[in-house]
Amino acid sequence: MRAVSLLLLLAACKPGGVSKEAELCSKAAAMFERCEQLDGSGSDAALSHELTIDRWRGLCRAVFTGETAQLMSNARELYQSLDDGTKAGMRKQAECTSKATNCLEYAACEQ
């Protein structure tokens, strides 16, 4: 009986519903945060930093899925203004940066 309870508990704890695009964009956003030099001045620097990372992650997901409901209005407008070539370039860069393990590899994705 204990084994069955343990198996049920483990099954309930499995992460579900995380798409491969969301995972890829999360990894790419982590490298973006790690390697990009964002403005750290001002009283709202921490909030600005978090919003920049979140907007990048949201745009990343949008270029893969077309879903824009998660974007704030200014990021949605930016996404809608992008042409197909720019969206394809963003997808390619996100795929590359999600595989990067250091900032040199991350920087190489921009070429």
Side-chain angles (χ1 to χ4, degrees), residues 2-12:
R2 283 174 96 131
V4 173
S5 296
L6 180 60
L7 288 175
L8 289 174
L9 181 61
L10 289 173

Side-chain angles (χ1 to χ4, degrees), residues 58 61-63 65-73 75-76 79-80:
R61 286 193 312 259
V63 298
T65 66
E67 178 59 45
T68 61
Q70 80 281 1
L71 298 176
M72 294 192 303
S73 61
R76 189 175 306 117
Y79 171 79
Q80 291 169 342

Side-chain angles (χ1 to χ4, degrees), residues 22-77:
E23 186 176 346
L24 183 146
C25 290
S26 179
K27 290 177 182 178
M31 289 307 295
F32 175 82
E33 181 175 19
R34 180 175 164 191
C35 299
E36 292 293 331
Q37 297 298 315
L38 302 175
D39 182 22
S41 61
S43 60
D44 64 346
L47 177 60
S48 179
H49 179 83
E50 290 301 317
L51 286 173
T52 300
I53 303 303
D54 189 55
R55 285 183 185 131
W56 194 96
R57 186 181 305 107
L59 282 171
C60 177
R61 286 193 312 259
V63 298
F64 280 101
T65 66
E67 178 59 45
T68 61
Q70 80 281 1
L71 298 176
M72 294 192 303
S73 61
N74 59 351
R76 189 175 306 117
E77 289 171 14

